[in-house]
Amino acid sequence: NPYGRVIFLIELFTLKIYTKGKELIMAAYDIFLKNSHSDKNAQMMVKNNKKLFDYLCSLIQTKEATVLEVGPGKGYFKEAVINAGGGYEYYAVDRNENILANLNINPSNTKIAELPNIEMDIKFDIIFVGYVIEHLSNGIELYNALANLKLLLKNNGILVLQFPDSMKLGMEFYNIDYTHMLPTTKRNVNQAILDNSMYVQKAIDLCGILYTRKVDSAISYFIKSGVMFFYSYRIMNLLAKIFYRVPVWNLKNVFWRAYALLKEPNVMFVVKKNLEW
C-alpha cells in the first residue's frame, strides 16, 4: 500500500525529529549545569530563596510541610528548604537526570518527569514552579500542567508560579532565553488558573530574579526599585563603551547581569484551590 508507506515514513521522520529534539534539550541542561555561578552569586541566590521560603511558610502557617519543586535548576530553592529544618520534606521533579543527581538528596525524593504530565504518590503543602511554564509550547499545555499540579496539591496547600511578564518585557522575553516559547502574562496565566477552579491568592511583582516586594524589607525594596527605575543596560553599556568592550549581547556583560538580577520584570503568583467550586 503506497499510501500506507508514505504515512509510515512521515511518522518515522517525525519521531526522529522529536527524539533528536529531546537529545538537544538534555544536552542544553547539561551545559546549564556546567555553567555554574560564582560562589558569591550562588550564596546570594540561596539567601534570597531562603527569604522567599520563609515568606511562603508564613502563608501556610505550619512548620511541617511537604514541598515539591518542579524544575530545581542549580538547587538554590532546595538549599533554602533543606536548611529550614527537619519539619520540611523536599521533593524534586525534572526531565533531566543529571539535574536531579546534582541536588544530592535521597533518590526516592526525586522523579524524572516533565510538565504537563507529572504523577506522584503523595500530595504537597507547597508546590514551587520557578521559571518553568514559559518553556511550555502553548496555552493548552499550560492548562493541562495546572490541572495536573492541582491533583498533587493538598486542599490547603499553595502552588507558587514564577514567570516572566512578557507584557512588560516585550521582545526582551525572547532575548532573555532562546528556549522561551509561551509568552506568559498575568492575564493569560490567571485565565488558565481560573479554568482549573483555582484562584490567585497573592500576585507579586518581582524586580529581576532577586525578590523584592513582600519578600525583601520595605527599605531594601524602595532602594532597589527606585534606583533601577531609571536603569537601562543598553544605555549604560553605550556610555561605558570607551573603557568597557564586552558586547551588550554577551552573557557576561555586567550591565545586562545587573538588569537580570534587579530589574527584569517577573511575576510570582501564589495559587490556591477554590474549594467552593
Side-chain angles (χ1 to χ4, degrees):
N1 186 343
Y3 177 75
R5 290 179 182 177
V6 170
I7 295 298
F8 173 76
L9 289 174
I10 291 174
E11 289 178 345
L12 181 62
F13 181 67
T14 303
L15 179 61
K16 285 184 176 180
I17 291 176
Y18 175 77
T19 303
K20 187 64 176 178
K22 297 284 283 187
E23 291 174 357
L24 291 173
I25 288 172
M26 295 309 163
Y29 279 110
D30 293 338
I31 294 170
F32 167 77
L33 277 178
K34 291 178 182 178
N35 293 330
S36 59
H37 292 116
S38 66
D39 290 342
K40 183 178 180 181
N41 284 342
Q43 290 172 6
M44 181 171 58
M45 295 293 186
V46 171
K47 180 180 178 181
N48 280 276
N49 275 277
K50 182 183 183 305
K51 289 191 291 185
L52 168 66
F53 186 62
D54 289 344
Y55 172 70
L56 298 179
C57 289
S58 71
L59 296 179
I60 61 172
Q61 297 183 337
T62 178
K63 293 185 178 180
E64 294 184 358
T66 51
V67 181
L68 172 66
E69 182 175 15
V70 180
K74 291 183 168 67
Y76 299 133
F77 186 74
K78 179 224 53 172
E79 290 295 324
V81 178
I82 297 297
N83 294 331
Y88 301 100
E89 191 169 6
Y90 175 85
Y91 295 78
V93 168
D94 200 277
R95 58 185 175 184
N96 184 279
E97 60 182 9
N98 292 330
I99 282 183
L100 294 176
N102 187 61
L103 296 173
N104 293 317
I105 62 174
N106 189 334
S108 64
N109 283 28
T110 67
K111 183 168 185 177
I112 298 177
E114 60 182 292
L115 292 177
N117 300 312
I118 296 175
E119 294 182 1
M120 302 286 284
D121 295 330
I122 63 174
K123 293 192 176 185
F124 299 91
D125 298 284
I126 299 174
I127 300 178
F128 182 71
V129 187
Y131 304 106
V132 173
I133 61 174
E134 65 271 17
H135 299 278
L136 297 173
S137 298
N138 52 56
I140 301 302
E141 277 203 350
L142 174 61
Y143 172 85
N144 290 333
L146 293 174
N148 205 298
L149 292 171
K150 180 184 175 183
L151 295 176
L152 303 179
L153 190 65
K154 291 182 180 179
N155 284 343
N156 293 320
I158 55 174
L159 167 63
V160 182
L161 303 173
Q162 291 181 340
F163 54 91
D165 187 343
S166 67
M167 288 295 289
K168 293 181 179 178
L169 281 165
M171 284 304 297
E172 288 285 7
F173 175 80
Y174 297 103
N175 185 42
I176 290 167
D177 189 336
Y178 69 93
T179 64
H180 282 182
M181 298 183 69
L182 174 65
T184 45
T185 70
K186 289 181 180 178
R187 181 179 293 275
N188 64 18
V189 174
N190 183 53
Q191 286 175 338
I193 289 168
L194 291 175
D195 283 351
N196 274 289
S197 300
M198 297 189 288
Y199 68 96
V200 178
Q201 181 189 35
K202 302 281 185 181
I204 301 170
D205 291 322
L206 304 177
C207 297
I209 59 176
L210 300 183
Y211 312 110
T212 51
R213 188 170 64 86
K214 294 288 186 182
V215 180
D216 275 350
S217 67
I219 295 176
S220 176
Y221 170 70
F222 177 78
I223 293 173
K224 287 179 185 177
S225 59
V227 171
M228 297 307 289
F229 180 80
F230 301 98
Y231 180 81
S232 167
Y233 73 89
R234 295 183 184 277
I235 293 176
M236 291 298 295
N237 193 75
L238 183 62
L239 294 174
K241 198 168 184 179
I242 296 176
F243 60 88
Y244 187 73
R245 297 304 180 95
V246 179
V248 73
W249 44 263
N250 191 301
L251 297 182
K252 295 182 179 179
N253 184 284
V254 296
F255 303 115
W256 159 259
R257 292 172 72 88
Y259 169 81
L261 288 172
L262 295 171
K263 187 170 183 178
E264 179 187 304
N266 298 316
V267 178
M268 182 168 76
F269 276 175
V270 178
V271 180
K272 299 198 71 173
K273 290 183 178 180
N274 195 329
L275 301 178
E276 298 179 357
W277 288 15

